[in-house]
Amino acid sequence: MSVLELTAIAASGVAAGGINAVVGSGTLITFPTLLAFGYPPVLANVSNNVGLVPGVLSAAWGYRRELRGQRRRVLRFGAGSLIGGLIGALLLLKLPPEAFQAVVPVLILTACVLVVLQPRLNRWLVSRRPDGADADGGVALWLGVLGTGVYGGYFGAAQGVLMMGLFGSVLDDDLQRLNAVKNVLSSIVNGVAAVVFVAVTQIDWAAAAAIAVGATVGGTLGARFGRRLPPTALRAVIITVGVIASAALILT
């Protein structure tokens, strides 16, 4: 691999790390970059996943202030993300990508609709939530987080969009606090999938290292910028990235 190729891959990692911190769709930058340089799809996917782990960890650290008071929520949903990420990684190694990727645009567009409707849905849910109801969405939301983890472990593009769509439609909380939880859960999904990939399949370590360096820088900068966005602006970013992600997947 030439120095120019490594530089381009690292630059894509910076952009992906920043986008992942704010909303989550960075794979749609790094994955096509690896494909453009001739990497086979599965090798590109697993190398990309491993490389993005430091970036999502740096983004989670950047949002640490917004995580205060959410330990119970993180532990609860973290278990679902851990299980889902493991299942998704194993599916990637066992199943052809065509079947699952076919439903990805539908999932992302559904998440965008949920984000658009979030304020109205929150008001509706709060007005009808019975006394003593689970403020963290109950079993249904936990299963949604599990399903998002499966998707994230399998492919990962825009898993943050899906997660924020779920959170925003069910949880009555500040969008930045939910984004902080999303970053932690994404790091769990990517982390457990990376462990599986490193243990049982081939990784292109040069590409993974270049993405890791770039994503760490991008994740740190993205967290610093993204945490200052007002809820309306953050919601607009989520919707924009989600629509672009869906279009990119449909056209590829």
Side-chain angles (χ1 to χ4, degrees):
M1 184 184 300
S2 70
V3 174
L4 181 60
E5 290 175 340
L6 281 175
T7 303
I9 292 172
S12 73
V14 174
I19 290 175
N20 280 339
V22 177
V23 51
S25 195
T27 289
L28 291 176
I29 297 177
T30 46
F31 182 69
T33 299
L34 294 179
L35 292 181
F37 284 121
Y39 286 81
V42 173
L43 178 61
N45 197 10
V46 297
S47 301
N48 174 66
N49 180 284
V50 172
L52 287 177
V53 170
V56 291
L57 288 173
S58 66
W61 175 253
Y63 272 84
R64 61 191 180 279
R65 283 194 297 178
E66 285 75 13
L67 286 170
R68 291 173 183 169
Q70 299 197 83
R71 180 179 179 181
R72 177 179 175 273
R73 179 180 286 171
V74 169
L75 290 175
R76 179 185 183 193
F77 291 142
S81 292
L82 181 68
I83 297 170
L86 178 61
I87 294 172
L90 294 175
L91 286 175
L92 176 65
L93 301 177
K94 296 294 184 181
L95 299 177
E98 293 80 9
F100 194 83
Q101 190 170 345
V103 303
V104 169
V106 176
L107 293 175
I108 297 173
L109 289 174
T110 300
C112 290
V113 171
L114 293 175
V115 172
V116 171
L117 297 177
Q118 183 218 355
R120 185 174 298 177
L121 285 172
N122 276 349
R123 291 192 295 270
W124 185 85
L125 290 167
V126 169
S127 67
R128 288 161 175 76
R129 185 181 295 151
D131 293 337
D134 192 338
D136 276 342
V139 175
L141 183 55
W142 190 91
L143 291 175
V145 171
L146 173 68
T148 303
V150 173
Y151 167 67
Y154 188 89
F155 183 46
Q159 67 167 313
V161 175
L162 297 174
M163 202 173 296
M164 289 298 289
L166 288 171
F167 286 170
S169 63
V170 176
L171 300 180
D172 182 25
D173 205 341
D174 178 73
L175 204 62
Q176 293 288 9
R177 281 169 50 83
L178 298 180
N179 199 40
V181 175
K182 178 267 294 179
N183 284 333
V184 174
L185 300 185
S186 295
S187 67
I188 292 173
V189 172
N190 281 42
V192 68
V195 170
V196 172
F197 297 151
V198 170
V200 302
T201 193
Q202 179 185 359
I203 308 293
D204 188 298
W205 288 106
I211 291 173
V213 171
T216 301
V217 174
T220 302
L221 295 176
R224 183 175 300 176
F225 171 75
R227 65 200 303 276
R228 298 175 182 174
L229 287 175
T232 301
L234 182 57
R235 193 175 292 112
V237 172
I238 293 171
I239 295 166
T240 301
V241 172
V243 171
I244 293 173
S246 298
L249 290 171
I250 290 171
L251 294 174
T252 55

